[in-house]
Amino acid sequence: MADSKPFPALDGDPETAETLLRAVFGIVMDEAVRKGTSASEKVCEWKEPEELKQLLDLELRDQGESQEQILERCRAVIRYSVKTGHPRFFNQLFSGLDAHALAGRVITESLNTSQYTYEIAPVFVLMEEEVLKTLRALVGWRSGDGVFCPGGSISNMYAINLARYQRYPDCKQRGLWALPPLALFTSQECHYSIKKGAAFLGLGTDSVRVVKADERGKMVPKDLERQIKMAEAEGAVPFLVSATSGTTVLGAFDPLEAIADVCQRHGLWLHVDAAWGGSVLLSQTHRHLLDGIQRADSVAWNPHKLLAAGLQCSALLLRDTSNLLKHCHGSQASYLFQQDKFYDVALDTGDKVVQCGRRVDCLKLWLMWKAQGGQGLERRVNRAFALAQYLVEEVKKREGFELVMEPEFVNVCFWFVPPSLRGKQESPDYSQRLYKVAPVLKERMVKEGSMMIGYQPHGTRGNFFRMVVANPALTRTDMDFLLNELERLGQDL
Amino acid sequence: MADSKPFPALDGDPETAETLLRAVFGIVMDEAVRKGTSASEKVCEWKEPEELKQLLDLELRDQGESQEQILERCRAVIRYSVKTGHPRFFNQLFSGLDAHALAGRVITESLNTSQYTYEIAPVFVLMEEEVLKTLRALVGWRSGDGVFCPGGSISNMYAINLARYQRYPDCKQRGLWALPPLALFTSQECHYSIKKGAAFLGLGTDSVRVVKADERGKMVPKDLERQIKMAEAEGAVPFLVSATSGTTVLGAFDPLEAIADVCQRHGLWLHVDAAWGGSVLLSQTHRHLLDGIQRADSVAWNPHKLLAAGLQCSALLLRDTSNLLKHCHGSQASYLFQQDKFYDVALDTGDKVVQCGRRVDCLKLWLMWKAQGGQGLERRVNRAFALAQYLVEEVKKREGFELVMEPEFVNVCFWFVPPSLRGKQESPDYSQRLYKVAPVLKERMVKEGSMMIGYQPHGTRGNFFRMVVANPALTRTDMDFLLNELERLGQDL
């Protein structure tokens, strides 16, 4: 039965809870922050799944455990986790550890609120608005709308749903059966979320018409034009083009001006998936790569990638000023969005989204921006470009490295050619053997814990490495290390 | 140009970063954890939006700020935020601050990884599997599948998409145009995410057939049967029933056995939206409320609600063992899910979801469970029921309070009848006047910062309070406070 003693949620008393949290903060500082970002520590501690299961003792039991045991578990979780903030973690489009962003994330977690109403998230409703306004200004819009989504894939889906709704508001109520077959267009280099999104939204992957990209990975506007006409000839109604600013593998930027011309001609919604490349807008030097983005109807931009804001920080930005988000997604739940509240209920943004509870994703970016300033963030972006260029020059200088192509962004794609294959380009099995090198080196580096870099096949090309220069703490030393380490790991191949 | 000095991402050097983080941890401990959960502090610090904007100085500028300024900003963000861990925050289905869960969240943030591959999330891939297995066992399944989603709304959407795909795998490629009109069924008391989901998935809100609920808020199986026949008669193909275990306002549990019988008879996918009520499965005493849940095909369960794991922790559980999730959502992106990896690529779970990057949501629940044990969590659930019952008895005892109905869960719905309305039940404007009371009291409590409780109209009933007993730190004192405070705030009405 209930009595008036507090429940022992915190193992008895608030002081124990504080002791626990202080101890965990200490462990996080030592293990994840200090060691996790130190080049002299391993980037990962590889264990086979079965062994790792044993080490972690994952099973959840009836009995609770002591504070001491819990702290040991915290240490183990960190020990066997990959250190994505480590200067030798080159594996994904996100990396690095920004102290201000992490501070923002810890505060967010401690406040544990949902972004849906001003009532319970007054600071964050206003802050999200301000952050989105700032991002929109960089796109080139003085007004508009937007929302933070749980990742770029969902931002892209939102864009497709909004474009569909704008053209056919009936869809919301009557479904796709009330609509003619639709077609949307994106390049062969687009992110896979476009097809996933089309399937999820009921459009089907067939509705995605794949436009050719040139040898640099950029969409070919002429082929876009051709595909639009073909779709129309087949009886489908084109409604959206999704251009990409910063493709996943090659880091290519679609020619937005030319694509916007095509969209304008055909009355199509232009979405720009700038999840990866959006942060380039901060750089006066490089933002020309996104020239024309101001003509888009929607932009997906993930500051958790190049800006290292922390997973997830994914903005969907809209040029729309007609409250399309709310019309498209709203359902006026009366238990949450009461109309007789004592404040302006336009501040309750929950009906802009298809989620109900929604995490606060703005604080980490806001705090980082306040600390670094736009100038500091711009320097980061410029520096990443410069370091990528340095790496390219080094790759060219060294025997045993072959560039896939000159990058225009911070993805540097290259092959490592091991000693036994050098000078054998003419041999018939050269490519076959070359493509088997990356998986072997990947296994070796992970098992040693010396670094992590991704590889993939791409188009007609077999496996090559994709280096991503994103972590703001990187230096030339890390670029040199990457190449030296590949040489060392592959010297016997 | 790039040189070999580290970038001043951390204001110059790692030590400054550590100093910052230690200071922020201290602020979080003092302001959010200690004061934020203390009954002697305010639960919120109300400011009008324009004033709050001024106080926060939200604008993002070119110039960065000093460490001191940043720390002051951290304090301000916490000061003006609502304290959802406070013992007088009764406003939502989530509340409370569990120190172990918070510890898990802070570690998650410091490791900043994505759940998609074993490569970069070895600990969390295995941990998610184990946590889902434990939750499935409580549902009554020895095998199955599942995934953590960004909130219950998206879990519900997943269920609808999976049911649709299972019946019509063609849909993924060819879209809804290749399918007959579909119908899904849920009660009038269901969460609004079902309709939002139907719209988003292209089915349209018309495809959602609303089944009657009885006066307790439970779906009427007879009416479900009737609606299914009606839909069929209209040429639609029924494919899914979404039952609710723990409705949002009344906390009602649909009769799952009877609904499962109907689903079995008609060959329909049974989804149970147990986002709110799922945690009752931990209680031997109360789990009968979900009898029949083992017959479901999918279950949505949010441990961030009654278990206070922290936003967001939302599990979608599946009985399926055919890898339906991967078939339905997968797209085999070759840059992420390379098939020539050196470990078992079945461990790469990223293709189960429509997201690409996905946050780690399992650690907070796992760590809390390890610390409390299943028994500790069961005690919490039992205690919440007992406290809700205590409150009901108090409401009945006191003049000026009127219960909407006897609750079966921890939602206690009631009216506060102010002195001027007592004994006036027969007067023609009684209801009109009564329904205006809650918004007035809400404004008063928020402006004083003394407590927060939600109200809403519901069906034919006007505004009443919905008390949610979820915070594990609550005691009878807090229940008494709630009633006393309403009396105090409303004594002049």
Side-chain angles (χ1 to χ4, degrees):
Chain A
M1 255 312 288
D3 54 32
S4 34
K5 266 194 175 172
F7 182 74
L10 312 170
D11 293 332
D13 62 307
E15 274 159 42
T16 318
E18 280 194 38
T19 313
L20 169 86
L21 283 169
R22 288 193 198 279
V24 171
F25 286 158
I27 292 171
V28 163
M29 279 308 300
D30 294 345
E31 305 296 325
V33 176
R34 193 179 315 132
K35 290 193 201 160
T37 60
S38 162
S40 58
E41 302 280 335
K42 288 165 121 184
V43 63
C44 60
E45 183 71 50
W46 172 262
K47 298 287 170 196
E48 295 293 334
E50 283 312 314
E51 190 190 352
L52 186 52
K53 275 185 202 173
Q54 297 290 324
L55 286 165
L56 292 170
D57 176 30
L58 290 168
E59 192 189 340
L60 296 173
R61 306 194 180 86
D62 270 355
Q63 293 294 330
E65 295 183 350
S66 72
Q67 203 85 302
E68 230 167 279
Q69 283 172 296
I70 291 299
L71 293 179
E72 190 38 55
R73 293 196 178 283
C74 293
R75 279 187 209 99
V77 163
I78 299 175
R79 186 179 314 130
Y80 298 114
S81 285
V82 170
K83 309 302 184 296
T84 66
H86 194 281
R88 306 291 153 76
F89 179 82
F90 312 124
N91 212 69
Q92 312 296 141
L93 299 182
F94 65 90
S95 61
L97 190 150
D98 180 284
H100 296 105
L102 178 55
R105 302 196 309 262
V106 171
I107 295 170
T108 300
E109 292 298 336
S110 73
L111 292 171
N112 191 43
T113 197
S114 169
Q115 186 80 56
Y116 42 48
T117 61
Y118 186 78
E119 191 174 321
I120 68 158
V123 171
F124 303 124
V125 162
L126 300 179
M127 188 182 283
E128 182 172 271
E129 189 178 279
E130 186 68 26
V131 172
L132 291 169
K133 192 177 97 182
T134 307
L135 298 180
R136 279 197 307 263
L138 284 164
V139 167
W141 297 334
R142 285 202 196 153
S143 58
D145 201 350
V147 75
F148 280 95
C149 292
S153 296
I154 292 185
S155 293
N156 287 338
M157 259 188 233
Y158 266 44
I160 301 174
N161 193 42
L162 289 164
R164 168 170 85 176
Y165 175 78
Q166 194 199 39
R167 184 173 287 229
Y168 299 106
D170 250 16
C171 181
K172 182 177 178 181
Q173 189 187 333
R174 296 175 58 210
L176 283 172
W177 294 284
L179 274 56
L182 302 179
L184 64 109
F185 304 82
T186 189
S187 95
Q188 62 192 63
E189 297 290 314
C190 79
H191 189 253
Y192 69 95
S193 56
I194 302 296
K195 282 202 173 180
K196 280 203 178 190
F200 198 68
L201 295 166
L203 297 162
T205 53
D206 279 354
S207 70
V208 181
R209 309 287 178 127
V210 179
V211 180
K212 277 186 197 148
D214 65 18
E215 71 288 350
R216 300 295 310 269
K218 294 164 174 289
M219 188 191 282
V220 178
K222 228 186 204 164
D223 194 57
L224 171 61
E225 188 81 54
R226 193 182 66 87
Q227 291 276 358
I228 291 170
K229 284 182 185 145
M230 213 158 75
E232 283 172 337
E234 290 168 17
V237 177
F239 75 109
L240 170 136
V241 175
S242 177
T244 313
S245 290
T247 62
T248 313
V249 177
L250 302 178
F253 288 79
D254 284 347
L256 299 182
E257 288 285 7
I259 294 169
D261 288 343
V262 177
C263 288
Q264 200 173 325
R265 221 158 27 241
H266 294 271
L268 306 184
W269 180 289
L270 174 55
H271 173 63
V272 178
D273 177 359
W276 176 218
S279 301
V280 176
L281 290 168
L282 281 153
S283 161
Q284 290 305 319
T285 314
H286 300 287
R287 59 168 292 142
H288 64 88
L289 289 166
L290 297 103
D291 276 354
I293 196 166
Q294 74 286 355
R295 296 173 66 189
D297 296 285
S298 56
V299 172
W301 174 357
N302 289 6
H304 72 237
K305 294 192 161 88
L306 194 55
L307 295 185
L311 287 163
Q312 291 180 326
C313 188
S314 175
L316 174 72
L317 307 173
L318 295 170
R319 199 171 43 166
D320 171 75
T321 53
S322 73
N323 229 348
L324 189 67
L325 264 179
K326 236 176 194 169
H327 293 137
C328 179
H329 296 137
S331 78
Q332 295 94 42
S334 58
Y335 78 93
L336 206 49
F337 309 119
Q338 302 90 327
Q339 296 304 299
D340 52 6
K341 285 185 180 179
F342 64 93
Y343 60 83
D344 176 7
V345 293
L347 290 163
D348 290 353
T349 54
D351 240 5
K352 286 189 180 185
V353 298
V354 295
Q355 296 179 273
C356 176
R358 183 163 63 93
R359 286 176 51 82
V360 171
D361 287 331
C362 57
L363 175 59
K364 48 198 169 193
L365 179 57
W366 181 84
L367 200 62
M368 186 171 83
W369 203 306
K370 279 286 189 190
Q372 309 277 334
Q375 286 180 355
L377 298 177
E378 175 174 21
R379 273 198 303 273
R380 275 195 190 177
V381 174
N382 288 342
R383 186 176 167 86
F385 271 90
L387 269 181
Q389 204 46 52
Y390 171 79
L391 179 64
V392 167
E393 298 310 321
E394 288 301 303
V395 161
K396 286 182 189 165
K397 274 186 214 160
R398 295 202 190 198
E399 202 196 348
F401 289 90
E402 200 183 320
L403 211 55
V404 174
M405 65 180 64
E406 288 281 343
E408 56 178 348
F409 195 19
V410 296
N411 312 36
V412 181
C413 296
F414 64 90
W415 285 281
F416 171 69
V417 185
S420 70
L421 281 177
R422 291 179 196 165
K424 306 255 171 73
Q425 282 84 337
E426 305 308 318
S427 109
D429 62 349
Y430 176 80
S431 294
Q432 283 308 320
R433 288 171 64 196
L434 180 63
Y435 298 164
K436 284 189 179 137
V437 170
V440 173
L441 294 190
K442 181 67 176 265
E443 177 169 3
R444 290 177 180 184
M445 67 180 79
V446 168
K447 289 190 169 168
E448 290 199 12
S450 60
M451 67 176 182
M452 290 183 74
I453 173 172
Y455 72 85
Q456 66 286 302
H458 182 261
T460 58
R461 297 176 182 106
N463 287 323
F464 55 84
F465 288 112
R466 177 198 63 171
M467 169 66 182
V468 181
V469 185
N471 182 344
L474 295 182
T475 66
R476 287 187 176 188
T477 310
D478 301 300
M479 302 300 109
D480 296 338
F481 177 87
L482 163 72
L483 301 180
N484 294 339
E485 182 66 4
L486 287 174
E487 279 173 355
R488 188 184 72 80
L489 292 167
Q491 61 192 348
D492 63 332
L493 294 181
Chain B
M1 255 310 289
D3 54 32
S4 33
K5 268 198 178 165
F7 181 75
L10 313 170
D11 292 333
D13 61 307
E15 274 158 43
T16 318
E18 281 194 38
T19 314
L20 169 84
L21 283 169
R22 287 192 199 279
V24 171
F25 286 159
I27 292 171
V28 164
M29 280 308 301
D30 294 343
E31 304 297 325
V33 176
R34 193 179 316 131
K35 289 193 202 158
T37 60
S38 163
S40 58
E41 301 280 335
K42 287 165 122 184
V43 63
C44 60
E45 183 70 50
W46 173 261
K47 297 287 169 197
E48 295 294 334
E50 282 313 315
E51 191 191 352
L52 185 53
K53 274 187 204 173
Q54 296 290 323
L55 286 165
L56 292 169
D57 175 30
L58 290 167
E59 191 188 340
L60 296 172
R61 307 194 180 86
D62 270 355
Q63 293 294 329
E65 296 183 350
S66 73
Q67 202 85 302
E68 229 166 283
Q69 283 173 297
I70 292 299
L71 294 178
E72 190 37 56
R73 293 197 177 281
C74 294
R75 280 188 209 98
V77 164
I78 299 176
R79 186 179 314 131
Y80 298 114
S81 285
V82 170
K83 310 300 183 299
T84 66
H86 193 282
R88 307 289 154 75
F89 179 81
F90 312 123
N91 211 68
Q92 312 295 142
L93 298 181
F94 64 91
S95 60
L97 190 151
D98 180 285
H100 296 106
L102 178 56
R105 300 193 314 259
V106 170
I107 294 170
T108 300
E109 292 299 336
S110 74
L111 292 170
N112 192 42
T113 196
S114 168
Q115 187 80 57
Y116 43 47
T117 62
Y118 186 78
E119 194 174 319
I120 68 157
V123 171
F124 302 123
V125 163
L126 301 179
M127 187 181 283
E128 181 172 273
E129 190 178 277
E130 186 69 26
V131 172
L132 291 169
K133 194 177 96 181
T134 308
L135 298 181
R136 278 197 306 265
L138 285 164
V139 167
W141 297 335
R142 285 200 195 154
S143 59
D145 202 350
V147 75
F148 279 96
C149 292
S153 296
I154 291 184
S155 293
N156 287 338
M157 259 187 232
Y158 266 44
I160 300 174
N161 193 42
L162 289 163
R164 168 170 85 173
Y165 175 78
Q166 195 198 39
R167 185 174 285 230
Y168 298 106
D170 250 17
C171 180
K172 182 177 178 181
Q173 191 188 330
R174 296 174 60 211
L176 284 171
W177 295 283
L179 276 57
L182 301 178
L184 64 109
F185 304 83
T186 190
S187 94
Q188 62 191 63
E189 296 290 314
C190 79
H191 189 252
Y192 70 94
S193 56
I194 303 296
K195 282 202 173 179
K196 280 203 177 190
F200 198 67
L201 294 164
L203 297 162
T205 52
D206 280 354
S207 70
V208 181
R209 309 288 178 128
V210 180
V211 180
K212 277 185 195 148
D214 65 18
E215 73 287 352
R216 301 295 309 269
K218 295 163 173 289
M219 188 192 282
V220 178
K222 228 185 205 168
D223 193 58
L224 172 60
E225 189 81 54
R226 193 182 66 87
Q227 291 276 357
I228 291 171
K229 284 180 186 148
M230 213 156 77
E232 282 173 338
E234 289 169 17
V237 177
F239 75 108
L240 171 135
V241 175
S242 178
T244 312
S245 290
T247 60
T248 312
V249 176
L250 301 178
F253 288 78
D254 283 347
L256 299 181
E257 288 286 7
I259 292 169
D261 288 343
V262 177
C263 288
Q264 201 173 324
R265 220 158 29 239
H266 293 273
L268 306 184
W269 179 290
L270 174 56
H271 173 63
V272 179
D273 176 0
W276 174 219
S279 300
V280 176
L281 290 168
L282 280 153
S283 161
Q284 290 305 318
T285 315
H286 300 287
R287 59 169 291 141
H288 64 87
L289 288 167
L290 297 103
D291 276 354
I293 195 167
Q294 74 286 354
R295 296 172 67 189
D297 296 285
S298 56
V299 172
W301 173 357
N302 289 6
H304 71 237
K305 293 192 161 89
L306 194 54
L307 296 184
L311 288 163
Q312 288 180 328
C313 188
S314 175
L316 174 73
L317 307 172
L318 294 170
R319 198 170 47 165
D320 171 75
T321 54
S322 73
N323 229 350
L324 188 67
L325 263 179
K326 236 177 192 168
H327 294 136
C328 179
H329 296 138
S331 78
Q332 295 94 43
S334 59
Y335 78 94
L336 205 50
F337 310 118
Q338 302 91 327
Q339 296 304 300
D340 53 7
K341 284 185 180 178
F342 64 92
Y343 61 83
D344 177 7
V345 293
L347 290 164
D348 290 353
T349 53
D351 240 4
K352 287 189 180 184
V353 297
V354 296
Q355 295 179 274
C356 176
R358 184 164 62 93
R359 286 176 51 84
V360 171
D361 287 330
C362 56
L363 175 60
K364 49 196 167 192
L365 179 57
W366 182 83
L367 200 62
M368 186 171 82
W369 203 306
K370 279 286 190 190
Q372 309 277 336
Q375 287 179 354
L377 298 179
E378 176 174 20
R379 273 198 303 274
R380 274 194 193 179
V381 174
N382 288 342
R383 184 175 171 86
F385 271 90
L387 268 182
Q389 204 45 54
Y390 170 79
L391 179 64
V392 167
E393 298 312 319
E394 288 301 304
V395 162
K396 285 184 191 164
K397 273 185 215 161
R398 295 201 191 199
E399 201 196 350
F401 289 91
E402 199 183 321
L403 211 54
V404 173
M405 66 180 64
E406 288 281 342
E408 56 178 349
F409 195 20
V410 296
N411 312 36
V412 180
C413 297
F414 65 90
W415 285 280
F416 171 70
V417 185
S420 69
L421 281 176
R422 291 179 196 164
K424 305 256 171 73
Q425 282 84 339
E426 304 308 319
S427 111
D429 62 348
Y430 176 80
S431 296
Q432 283 308 320
R433 289 171 64 195
L434 180 63
Y435 298 163
K436 285 190 178 136
V437 170
V440 173
L441 294 190
K442 180 67 176 266
E443 178 169 2
R444 289 178 179 184
M445 68 179 79
V446 168
K447 289 190 169 168
E448 289 200 13
S450 60
M451 67 176 182
M452 289 183 75
I453 174 172
Y455 72 85
Q456 65 287 301
H458 182 260
T460 56
R461 295 176 181 107
N463 287 323
F464 55 83
F465 287 113
R466 178 198 63 172
M467 168 66 182
V468 180
V469 185
N471 182 346
L474 294 184
T475 66
R476 287 187 177 187
T477 311
D478 301 301
M479 303 300 110
D480 295 339
F481 177 86
L482 163 72
L483 301 181
N484 294 340
E485 182 66 3
L486 287 174
E487 278 173 356
R488 189 184 72 80
L489 291 168
Q491 61 191 348
D492 63 331
L493 296 180

